[in-house]
Amino acid sequence: MIAFLLVVSFILHALSLFVIILLYLQLSKVKETEKRQQQMAEEMEQTFSAYLLEWKEENERFLKELTDMLTNRTKADRKQSPSKADATSTKEEALPNYFPNVDDVKDIVDIRHQAMPSLVEEAWQLFEQGKTIEEIAKILKKGKTEIELLLKFHQK
């Protein structure tokens, strides 16, 4: 009887040791998955930060172009009609003009659109000269995919 109980005890101990090992392996897999998820979260955060920084720089550049355009236009307006500046009402002087004129914004958008065809034409000329897409991308300092799409959509 004692021998039977000892055999059952050894079997139960072996079985419990096996279950403990399995649980430890599962725990290590969970920890490894958590580490990978944390790394992915950090990479996503860095990517978003870089994207937001680029977006901020683009906005600042656009605002600078806009203010330069507005100052140039106001200087031109002042040269053309100096009496117009004297005729402003006190309400208009009290409230600063934070919003640009619609025509000014349209001019800036037109300027940006005028720059686009030159890029397309330049890319197309380089392509007709026999340059590869990679070479064109390097010359124009653009991405390879961007040049591919540019040439694909603007085929003559």
Side-chain angles (χ1 to χ4, degrees), residues 53-105:
L53 184 63
E54 288 177 11
W55 198 14
K56 181 181 177 184
E57 291 173 357
E58 179 70 25
N59 285 342
E60 289 173 355
R61 191 173 71 229
F62 177 72
L63 287 174
K64 184 178 182 290
E65 288 178 14
L66 184 64
T67 55
D68 290 345
M69 180 76 118
L70 291 175
T71 56
N72 290 340
R73 177 166 248 160
T74 55
K75 287 179 184 177
D77 288 345
R78 286 181 189 161
K79 288 179 183 177
Q80 290 176 356
S81 62
S83 62
K84 187 178 181 182
D86 297 334
T88 58
S89 69
T90 56
K91 286 184 181 179
E92 290 175 352
E93 290 176 6
L95 295 174
N97 188 6
Y98 290 112
F99 300 104
N101 189 355
V102 175
D103 294 331
D104 295 336
V105 175

Side-chain angles (χ1 to χ4, degrees), residues 1 4 27-28 46 54 63 73 90-91 96 112 129:
M1 181 75 176
F4 176 73
L27 180 65
S28 66
Q46 291 174 353
E54 288 177 11
L63 287 174
R73 177 166 248 160
T90 56
K91 286 184 181 179
R112 286 190 174 209
Q129 292 174 3

Side-chain angles (χ1 to χ4, degrees), residues 1 7 25 35 63 82 95-96 102 107 121 123:
M1 181 75 176
V7 170
L25 291 175
K35 283 183 183 178
L63 287 174
L95 295 174
V102 175
D107 290 342
E121 291 170 2

